[in-house]
Amino acid sequence: MDRTPLAHLPTPLERADRLGAALGFDDGRLWVKRDDCTGLAGGGNKARKLEYLCADALAQGCDVLVTGGGRQSNHVRMTAAAANRLGLAATLVLSSNEPSHPTGNVVLDYLLGADLVWVGDRDYYGCEAAIDETCERLAAEGRRPYRMPIGGASPVGAMGYVAAADEVSAQLAASGAIVDVVVVADGSGGTHAGLVAGLGDHRRVLGVDVGTRPDLDEQVPAKATEVATLAGRAAPTGVVWLDHDRFGDGYGAPTPACREALDLAARYEGLVLDPVYTGKAMAGLVAARRDDRIAADATTVFLHTGGLPALFAAAYADWIRG
Ligand SMILES: *Cc1c(COP(=O)(O)O)cnc(C)c1O
């Protein structure tokens, strides 16, 4: 499967010994995979997916990338950047009204100059429907749209995380270790599915539901099997592992456990997490270590998927000050 180079790879794999000790891990067991350092207008997990998605778009002769997400979507911002790198257009659906005062990712969306389509508040599949309508409109205008689902979560996009699973396994092998568990935030579930396809067993990936997609329990295993086939790997073993207890009142809603996770990462490691995805994923890791679903001697990789711009969304300013 072709990829178009867009990301800075391999990303660093760093020890997190001080945070690990604070959480009761045995020495040297907690690691952070820095996929916030992929580059592409601020970095994040969507860069690896976009490498495969854009290669597919170019192979099909498409001239406009089309996708969508919530107002503070990182995928939308990074798709706009990828389009600019490759000389393609981008038309991006945001399931929100246009804010009177742009903050966070929206500032970057304007700067990158993509064509933004504000469709008002939609649920997950309502936003997918708006992406379909936008593709139909563009095709009727004689354009050649390349449709990406929310989060770039097609099997082609998830191929980026099959490769990432291999990358992290090789990095740990160089230290004489193997990956017992990767902890990741689940939005669309595409990253989780790709990791499972790459690592070969559902029990090696803990996905922390951030409250955006209603059907992760069905979608992640179905996608993982599909991606494994596409990648020429064996179908994954085990049962999907999801934590649905960390998103609080919903997508982007602040929670005390997320705040604690942000503080722990910042104060023990100088590592900045975001309030929508990685803070909740770290809260899931903390909870799993405390109740021993992740053992003290398990080699654990926290996948830092990026998301920093959302920390600067106006909604979080007072919450961060505390
Ligand atoms: C999109 C995103 C995720 C979730 O990835 P999915 O593949 O959609 O599940 C996690 N963290 C950040 C920062 C993201 O932007």
Side-chain angles (χ1 to χ4, degrees), residues 45-46 49 74-75 150-151 185-192 274 277-278 305-307:
N45 62 333
K46 302 315 179 309
K49 297 184 184 183
N74 298 298
H75 177 58
I150 296 169
D186 273 43
S188 65
T191 302
H192 184 164
D274 82 285
Y277 293 98
T278 54
T305 46

Side-chain angles (χ1 to χ4, degrees), residues 20-78:
L23 298 178
F25 277 98
D26 293 350
D27 194 38
R29 293 301 184 168
L30 181 62
W31 298 77
V32 181
K33 179 65 170 161
R34 297 295 304 273
D35 273 17
D36 56 320
C37 299
T38 56
L40 204 60
N45 62 333
K46 302 315 179 309
R48 290 186 193 266
K49 297 184 184 183
L50 283 161
E51 290 197 332
Y52 287 87
L53 292 163
C54 290
D56 193 30
L58 293 170
Q60 292 185 29
C62 296
D63 59 8
V64 52
L65 303 179
V66 184
T67 192
R71 180 189 284 182
Q72 285 294 337
S73 170
N74 298 298
H75 177 58
V76 160
R77 177 248 309 167
M78 297 184 75

Side-chain angles (χ1 to χ4, degrees), residues 150-190:
I150 296 169
S154 66
V156 170
M159 286 293 292
Y161 275 87
V162 178
D166 293 347
E167 187 180 297
V168 77
S169 296
Q171 286 171 317
L172 271 178
S175 306
I178 58 156
V179 187
D180 288 315
V181 56
V182 179
V183 180
V184 63
D186 273 43
S188 65

